[in-house]
Amino acid sequence: MGSIEQPYTLSNPFRARTLNGQITPLMSIKFVTGNEIPMMAKMAGVHALFIDMEHSALDMRTVSQLILACNYAGVSPVVRSPSKSHWHISRILDAGASAVVIPHVESVQEVKDIVRYAKFAPLGIRGCTNNQAIMNFQHVPTLVQNELLNSQTMVIPMIETPAAVEIADEILAVEGVDGVLIGSNDLCTDLGIPGKYDSAVYQDAVIKVIEAANRAGKPVGVGGIGGRLDILDKWFRMGATWSLSGQDASMLQAGMKKMSQNYEEISSRLQGKL
């Protein structure tokens, strides 16, 4: 009898949900690094964590442990690289990330280079290694592994400058690009309207990117406006499927502030009775 090739699969709920049009909020991780966080996210119905190496002091070892915890909990680890360098992109993917997000993309050539670093041949030049973390350290035939990871892990450039907005169609047309993330804060700053999300200038730029993503049939996410559900609702109705919707520090601070206020109110009531 001939050998039967074992079917290999990997779980990426972030990819499945965004491709299916399911609105998916991501919690951002910058400071809270305990491996308990992915299981808490799972229990809270959060399907993906955004591990931010650009705007934090997180090192690769810490990130790799968070990624492992995410994969075992069934929560997609989406990691923002601190740069466009191949040694950051490939190490993040080798650590088991479901998606790598690359900031400050300005040209089509940069996007092509990013794909080359993130994808195995024939799409790219990512170095091959077996026993991949995202596949639970199984030994998988190289051809099978490379084809599966090329198709199931995601490369997501960020669009966060006016120049990138203008070439959104070209960025999304690059083979190997699996979607884009709009960086609202940097985009508004570069447009000369920092923090003005209601501005027609910002909103017109976002509409251009979402329409380009719709034409390409690829998911688009929006960052920087997690507190503006009214605007996010507009983007979701237009075709965006995910957003950066809460950050560990701000969520902790909000909870601590609420606790402090509750006890301050109790204290004030009791002192008023004395």
Side-chain angles (χ1 to χ4, degrees), residues 53 145 224:
M53 294 186 73
Q145 170 194 272

Side-chain angles (χ1 to χ4, degrees), residues 238-255:
M238 289 189 64
T241 54
W242 61 285
S243 70
L244 307 185
S245 301
Q247 183 194 123
D248 51 6
S250 60
M251 295 173 81
L252 276 169
Q253 286 177 314

Side-chain angles (χ1 to χ4, degrees), residues 7-203:
Y8 296 95
T9 61
L10 60 87
S11 173
N12 187 348
F14 171 71
R15 180 177 183 275
R17 289 179 60 86
T18 56
L19 288 176
N20 288 334
Q22 295 172 275
I23 305 303
T24 303
L26 275 66
M27 176 185 172
S28 295
I29 300 295
K30 295 183 180 182
F31 306 106
V32 180
T33 60
N35 287 343
E36 298 85 358
I37 292 296
M39 184 54 72
M40 291 180 185
K42 177 75 170 182
M43 294 298 100
V46 176
H47 300 279
L49 292 180
F50 188 82
I51 303 170
D52 192 353
M53 294 186 73
E54 182 191 12
H55 295 301
S56 76
L58 295 178
D59 59 27
M60 195 66 238
R61 178 61 179 170
T62 302
V63 169
S64 72
Q65 296 305 294
L66 275 171
I67 289 172
L68 285 178
C70 283
N71 285 329
Y72 283 117
V75 173
S76 291
V78 177
V79 182
R80 177 155 60 183
S81 175
S83 78
K84 295 186 280 282
S85 301
H86 67 84
W87 56 82
H88 281 139
I89 294 169
S90 62
R91 291 187 76 195
I92 287 168
L93 290 169
D94 281 351
S98 297
V100 60
V101 174
I102 303 93
H104 305 296
V105 169
E106 290 272 36
S107 71
V108 173
Q109 186 57 54
E110 283 184 332
V111 176
K112 290 180 178 179
D113 289 341
I114 288 163
V115 170
R116 289 176 70 242
Y117 304 151
K119 301 289 186 179
F120 297 108
L123 286 177
I125 58 169
R126 179 181 168 189
C128 299
T129 184
N130 215 294
N131 303 108
Q132 288 276 342
I134 197 170
M135 301 192 71
N136 299 324
F137 301 104
Q138 299 175 88
H139 184 82
V140 182
T142 301
L143 176 61
V144 175
Q145 170 194 272
N146 292 1
E147 287 181 348
L148 184 61
L149 295 183
N150 273 359
S151 67
Q152 298 299 309
T153 57
M154 303 177 75
V155 177
I156 303 174
M158 287 193 71
I159 294 181
E160 47 189 343
T161 66
V165 170
E166 293 306 312
I167 59 171
D169 280 299
E170 297 170 73
I171 290 172
L172 285 152
V174 173
E175 185 180 6
V177 167
D178 300 293
V180 294
L181 172 62
I182 300 167
S184 296
N185 284 318
D186 282 344
L187 179 56
C188 282
T189 299
D190 278 17
L191 288 168
I193 50 167
K196 296 183 178 179
Y197 310 119
D198 294 297
S199 166
V201 178
Y202 161 71
Q203 298 215 0

